Amino acid sequence: MEDINIKITDRDGVTHEIVAPTDMAMNLMEVVRSYELAPEGTIGICGGMAMCASCQCYVLSETELPEMGDDEEAMLSEAFDVKDNSRLGCQIQMTPEMEGLEVELAPES
């Protein structure tokens, strides 16, 4: 089992240093939910299907992320508060390559 260290800044501006497992097929949105870094019902509303943008986050680190898929790109094109570094947390898998990832949760729309 290999855990990774990531930093997540919640919607109140508080940065949390998180240890995330890489052997449970979790994505960033699920990590945020499991650590209760966003009020229940405000993140991952669609269940991680790239259909709601409630898990939008801003990537602050230089971590190399997987290419954005068509569904994610389409959802972000319709979302609020989108920036150049926006990604959907449900589309970022917790893998050893995500070590050092730093993100900020986008404001609740």
Side-chain angles (χ1 to χ4, degrees):
M1 179 170 113
E2 186 175 350
D3 292 341
I4 56 172
N5 298 290
I6 62 175
K7 290 182 182 175
I8 302 170
T9 302
D10 65 25
R11 292 178 175 140
D12 294 325
V14 178
T15 300
H16 305 268
E17 295 194 15
I18 301 294
V19 175
T22 61
D23 63 342
M24 295 176 65
M26 291 180 82
N27 60 46
L28 181 61
M29 177 267 297
E30 292 166 329
V31 171
V32 170
R33 287 170 77 170
S34 67
Y35 279 92
E36 298 178 348
L37 302 182
E40 194 170 334
T42 66
I43 191 161
I45 296 166
C46 74
M49 305 300 292
M51 296 174 68
C52 74
S54 65
C55 64
Q56 180 189 175
C57 61
Y58 307 126
V59 178
L60 306 177
S61 59
E62 295 296 318
T63 309
E64 191 164 327
L65 300 177
E67 284 288 315
M68 193 180 300
D70 292 342
D71 291 344
E72 181 179 10
E73 204 168 320
M75 192 66 248
L76 285 172
S77 73
E78 299 174 15
F80 296 102
D81 302 307
V82 175
K83 298 180 180 179
D84 289 343
N85 61 341
S86 287
R87 292 295 299 260
L88 296 181
C90 67
Q91 301 299 300
I92 301 174
Q93 291 298 315
M94 294 295 97
T95 63
E97 293 76 27
M98 295 299 109
E99 172 70 37
L101 177 68
E102 294 183 37
V103 300
E104 176 184 351
L105 300 182
E108 191 178 345
S109 297

